[in-house]
Amino acid sequence: VQLQASGGGLVQPGDSLRLSCAASGRTESRFAVGWFRQAPGKEREFVAALMLPGSSTYYTDSVKGRFTISRDRAKNTVYLQMNSLKPEDTAIYYCAVAPRVIVSSVRTSSSYHHWGQGTLVTVSS
């Protein structure tokens, strides 16, 4: 599986951005697509995930109500809609695929075997 993340940029606090993760290649029948982020000097952290089939979604607490993960099956693309952005959302955002993942492991980066290259999101006034 090859992943291409895009959509990052420089925005002001309160603005919105939509990140895209375009996938190519074969995937398992059950898998998750996740978004992780890594801020300068910090460890990579889980942001959101979409499990398929079924489209169950999972979010870290700090983005609940502001971020939405979704999928366009026809385009093989997963999106992360980010609203009400805050300076603390500044990070490189990565999308990743976890094959045959179980719910209890969907927030764990080691469950994800395929990673995109990352896209930088900067929230600053």
Side-chain angles (χ1 to χ4, degrees):
V1 177
Q2 291 77 46
L3 303 172
Q4 181 74 33
S6 61
L10 172 63
V11 297
Q12 295 187 341
D15 285 352
S16 298
L17 271 179
R18 188 178 77 164
L19 305 184
S20 300
C21 178
S24 60
R26 295 187 61 182
T27 57
E28 303 287 339
S29 59
R30 188 181 85 248
F31 63 96
V33 180
W35 285 96
F36 290 77
R37 65 186 180 187
Q38 187 165 18
K42 295 187 177 182
E43 293 188 356
R44 184 169 53 190
E45 66 170 349
F46 169 79
V47 177
L50 175 69
M51 283 194 71
L52 296 162
S55 298
S56 296
T57 57
Y58 306 86
Y59 299 93
T60 192
D61 287 346
S62 62
V63 309
K64 283 181 181 176
R66 299 189 298 123
F67 291 11
T68 303
I69 188 170
S70 63
R71 178 196 188 200
D72 185 328
R73 185 173 183 174
K75 296 182 178 179
N76 256 3
T77 300
V78 170
Y79 301 101
L80 184 67
Q81 177 67 44
M82 305 186 296
N83 299 328
S84 303
L85 282 161
K86 304 176 181 180
E88 52 264 42
D89 295 318
T90 295
I92 299 174
Y93 284 70
Y94 299 90
C95 63
V97 169
R100 301 182 306 278
V101 69
I102 58 176
V103 172
S104 60
S105 299
V106 75
R107 293 176 172 82
T108 305
S109 62
S110 60
S111 299
Y112 292 79
H113 298 177
H114 311 283
W115 291 82
Q117 84 288 3
T119 184
L120 176 62
V121 173
T122 304
V123 185
S124 175
S125 55

